Amino acid sequence: MATDNIATLVIGDSKADTELKQLIDFFRLSDKGITVQLHKDSKKLQFQKLPCLIVNGKLVYQYNAIAKFLAANSSTHSSKSEIDWNQIWQYLEYRFTDIQSIKPDKIQSVLTEVNSILADKTFLVGYEQSLADIALYLGLHPIADCISVETRERYNHFSRWFDQNQYLLASTFHLPRKHVALKINKNL
């Protein structure tokens, strides 16, 4: 029995586009009628911006809005409360405002903040992995991938959370290892 197409995600080849496609795979949404179309040149489309989610003829462009739609249609997020969704949205915004274009001199403050948030919890929102964890993990992956063992020990709650998410996402998100030298102040 064929599943009706409820939405189409039109993507290019940017990192954000790839992440959204991987979210569809992770949430097993292709089984629920959400399809992906790859377009290298958005100028040939009726719309000019990628990624773009098409739902009932309406267009959604912003990464966070598309990610929230995907999560809301997954079985793992269907029972989230309004406050859970607000917290998830908060962490999506945090990723793109504070982490996406992070400067080396701000890495320590972000690690300190995330470590503090995770001091008494396993996941960012609720008692299971959510879109908030996935988005923050993807945003922090380049940083966590190249910090020292000493730094990982100093930010032990962050490290525990990161390792847990890496384990849970390993089969879907294939992230390249980056060899970037980041200087972390050892006095903190």
Side-chain angles (χ1 to χ4, degrees), residues 81-173:
S81 70
E82 189 64 31
I83 190 68
D84 289 344
W85 278 112
N86 286 323
Q87 288 181 319
I88 289 169
W89 192 260
Q90 164 188 297
Y91 287 112
L92 286 171
E93 289 296 316
Y94 178 69
R95 181 214 171 153
F96 284 97
T97 58
D98 293 21
I99 295 172
Q100 191 68 23
S101 302
I102 193 168
K103 305 275 189 265
D105 63 327
K106 300 291 183 196
I107 291 172
Q108 225 168 350
S109 64
V110 166
L111 289 175
T112 300
E113 184 174 15
V114 173
N115 194 62
S116 175
I117 291 167
L118 293 164
D120 62 350
K121 55 175 103 176
T122 303
F123 297 107
L124 293 168
V125 178
Y127 299 103
E128 60 187 7
Q129 186 184 43
S130 72
L131 178 60
D133 296 291
I134 297 167
L136 213 55
Y137 168 83
L138 293 171
L140 291 169
H141 185 270
I143 295 168
D145 196 35
C146 54
I147 60 176
S148 68
V149 171
E150 294 83 16
T151 302
R152 286 182 66 84
E153 289 173 356
R154 187 175 322 118
Y155 301 107
N156 61 326
H157 305 301
F158 164 79
S159 297
R160 170 190 40 79
W161 169 85
F162 185 85
D163 292 344
Q164 176 75 5
N165 280 281
Q166 189 167 33
Y167 173 78
L168 292 170
L169 298 170
S171 65
T172 306
F173 292 87

